[in-house]
Amino acid sequence: MKTNAVIRLMSLLAVCVCSVQSQTPEVTPADLQAKITTNSVILKQPHCYFNNTCPSCDIWLVPSLSSATSTFDADLTNSNILSLSPYPSAFNTAASKNYFLTRVGPLSAFPCNASSDALYFVVGADGNCGTVNCNGALPTGSIVGFKYLLVNGSSIITTTNWSQNITLATPQNYQNISGAFAGRSAAMVVITAILCAAVGLLLLLFFIMLCVVCCRTNDSKQITGKSSMRIPRYDTHNLHDRMHPYDNPAYEMERHTVPGKTHTIRPVKNRK
Amino acid sequence: MVSKGLGCLMVTVVVCNIFAAAASLALMAVAIWVVVDAYKLYPISAGSGKTDIFAAAWIAIFTGFAFFVTCLFGIFAALKRSRGLMLTYLIIMFIIFIFECASAITAVTNRDYLVGNSNLVKQQMLQNYAADTTQGKQITDTWNKVMQDVQCCGTDGPKDWIDFQSTYQSTFGTSYPWPPNCCKKLSNSEVANPTNCRLGQNTDLFTKGCFQYIESMLSRYVWVISWYGFAVLMFVFFMLLLAMVYYTQLD
């Protein structure tokens, strides 16, 4: 019985805890490329963040530098809180409060059952605006936190917790992009190495060829006489035309084709 | 026997020369294609100051044609069985060989420099897109065309425009975080959905980076000049060896 009571108490407490505002503002989970830019953030819309039913209430947003969240919390009790830190002077001097307040919309525009990840609220949509509570751009590259407020008229009824710190993008100088050497690809090494080797080899073989040809002509020049006799057949007198052991096959062709050029030595036949 | 071998060698040399003439004519044709720059990426190459890919293509046009003419001369020299002509042929081929080697090596080296990684192209884009110089206008036009045709944004993605300072941002940065050409456009060149474009909704903003396209198109040029040139050169190398052997067999 006691455990049953404890369980019932715990579940009741859990329900109570859920009904208390524990939602924190968060960056939209939708797939938007400009979620966090240098001076703007896209947040999820505050559906079901406040449980109060208040027909004339509005939801306001406090974008603040992460270093100034305590300043805002200290100023929370001030009755002029809505216009205490106007946007134009919120970030520009050393004495600035580094937060500003801007109206998101009426509480009735954000009912629980219409909650969706696709709905978003752009902080900084108004750019460099001049009114007190405009949705102005955030300082470039700063670290910011957000808090939603439930406001009735000009008094704050309740607030959410501070969101996690969100770091805005700091644009780097493009000159700093390292133009360092990207490295050599394998193709380049292969092509260069093989082609250079081929050129060298060709040159070498070319000179070898020239040497070989020159040497060969020199050798053959030493041996041949001025008017060399090409003797296709040399028959000595004792052979009697029976056999021709001294035929020179190198001049076989000349023996048959160019009879005028052949220096065939026919010995005088001594026929008795 | 010797003359039969010589005849065989002569026929081989002649046939190889015919093939080399055809191949080098094809080299000249593809080099002309590269010079014509079908993908209109010359300004990106010129922005870096080194247009060696296109210089190599010009050299390849001339060496391709020279190879063609010299190979025809080589056929004539081989048929004539003349030593003097063959020697002339070999010397001329060797000179053209060296120039074609230079073309192939230059093309592939410049490719590594330009598109080895995305840094150079990104730096150029950030510096020159929307700049008011002549080079700026050319690069802006090139990038606009690429971004719309290929449906991409920035070099590595649209975040490039957020993460880095750029000429575009300092000139137009307040209205759009990235150029309107990064978004889907209607047929009358207006942005289809300006709100979604500004927010970066992936139905309207192109989230792919353009570097992959630029790198693959420039690589296509380079592979044509360098690898095909390399193939022609290897064939010519062995043909020249054959021609040198033929030369030594001539009397």
Side-chain angles (χ1 to χ4, degrees), chain A residues 182, chain B residues 41 44 111-123 125 143 146-147 150 152-157 160 207-219:
Chain B
L41 293 175
I44 291 183
R111 180 213 163 262
D112 286 350
Y113 171 76
L114 259 189
V115 292
N117 59 20
S118 63
N119 288 346
L120 190 67
V121 174
K122 192 191 298 199
Q123 191 176 36
M125 175 190 81
W143 274 96
V146 168
M147 288 200 282
V150 180
C152 58
C153 182
T155 309
D156 292 322
D160 288 345
T207 49
K208 195 171 58 168
C210 295
F211 179 68
Q212 198 181 12
Y213 169 80
I214 293 175
E215 189 259 333
S216 63
M217 293 304 121
L218 281 176
S219 291

Side-chain angles (χ1 to χ4, degrees), chain B residues 75-92:
Chain B
I75 295 173
F76 172 70
L79 288 174
K80 203 79 171 143
R81 292 179 194 241
S82 155
R83 239 188 195 171
L85 291 181
M86 279 303 288
L87 189 63
T88 317
Y89 163 75
L90 284 171
I91 292 176
I92 296 179

Side-chain angles (χ1 to χ4, degrees), chain A residues 127-151:
Chain A
N128 263 337
C129 49
T131 57
V132 174
N133 296 117
C134 63
N135 189 359
L138 304 167
T140 307
S142 48
I143 306 177
V144 290
F146 300 98
K147 193 182 243 218
Y148 281 115
L149 314 169
L150 189 63
V151 170

Side-chain angles (χ1 to χ4, degrees), chain B residues 25-193:
Chain B
L25 206 58
L27 177 67
M28 178 180 156
V30 290
I32 290 179
W33 172 74
V34 172
V35 165
V36 162
D37 193 15
Y39 301 116
K40 304 269 185 295
L41 293 175
Y42 181 81
I44 291 183
S45 172
S48 70
K50 282 189 172 201
T51 56
D52 288 348
I53 296 178
F54 298 95
W58 276 108
I59 297 178
I61 294 179
F62 291 118
T63 56
F65 184 68
F67 264 144
F68 173 70
V69 170
T70 315
C71 285
L72 294 184
F73 173 70
I75 295 173
F76 172 70
L79 288 174
K80 203 79 171 143
R81 292 179 194 241
S82 155
R83 239 188 195 171
L85 291 181
M86 279 303 288
L87 189 63
T88 317
Y89 163 75
L90 284 171
I91 292 176
I92 296 179
M93 282 296 268
F94 185 63
I95 294 173
I96 304 172
F97 192 93
I98 295 181
F99 276 105
E100 179 55 33
C101 278
S103 160
I105 295 175
T106 305
V108 75
T109 310
N110 193 233
R111 180 213 163 262
D112 286 350
Y113 171 76
L114 259 189
V115 292
N117 59 20
S118 63
N119 288 346
L120 190 67
V121 174
K122 192 191 298 199
Q123 191 176 36
Q124 230 190 63
M125 175 190 81
L126 294 169
Q127 188 171 6
N128 291 313
Y129 188 92
D132 211 9
T133 59
T134 343
Q135 189 183 66
K137 289 198 187 74
Q138 281 177 342
I139 288 192
T140 309
D141 288 339
T142 309
W143 274 96
N144 283 344
K145 182 176 181 298
V146 168
M147 288 200 282
Q148 281 295 307
D149 287 348
V150 180
Q151 300 196 333
C152 58
C153 182
T155 309
D156 292 322
K159 284 267 161 48
D160 288 345
W161 300 104
I162 298 178
D163 291 337
F164 292 95
Q165 299 168 2
S166 58
T167 312
Y168 170 78
Q169 196 186 56
S170 46
T171 330
F172 303 108
T174 47
S175 46
Y176 279 95
W178 32 67
N181 276 288
C182 280
C183 303
K184 283 208 182 81
K185 284 190 160 187
L186 304 169
S187 49
N188 62 353
S189 326
E190 279 182 12
V191 180
N193 193 331

Side-chain angles (χ1 to χ4, degrees), chain A residues 31-34 42 120 122 171-172 174-175 178 182 185 188 194-195 198-199 201-203 205-206 209 216, chain B residues 91 94 101 109 112 119 123 159 163-165 198-202 205 207 230 233 237 241 244 247-248:
Chain A
D31 187 18
L32 300 172
Q33 292 288 325
I42 303 184
Y120 53 81
V122 182
Q172 299 170 40
Y174 55 76
Q175 310 279 8
S178 159
S185 64
M188 183 256 168
I194 295 183
L195 285 183
V199 167
L201 208 61
L202 261 187
L203 200 60
L205 291 172
F206 185 71
M209 173 196 82
R216 195 196 298 166
Chain B
I91 292 176
F94 185 63
C101 278
T109 310
D112 286 350
N119 288 346
Q123 191 176 36
K159 284 267 161 48
D163 291 337
F164 292 95
Q165 299 168 2
R198 251 185 237 109
L199 294 173
Q201 187 78 268
N202 56 4
L205 175 73
T207 49
F230 178 78
L233 284 172
F237 174 76
L241 290 186
M244 285 197 260
Y247 175 79
T248 56

Side-chain angles (χ1 to χ4, degrees), chain A residues 54-71:
Chain A
C54 167
S56 59
C57 285
D58 293 330
I59 297 187
W60 284 57
L61 176 73
V62 183
S64 158
L65 293 190
S66 55
S67 52
T69 52
S70 46
T71 320

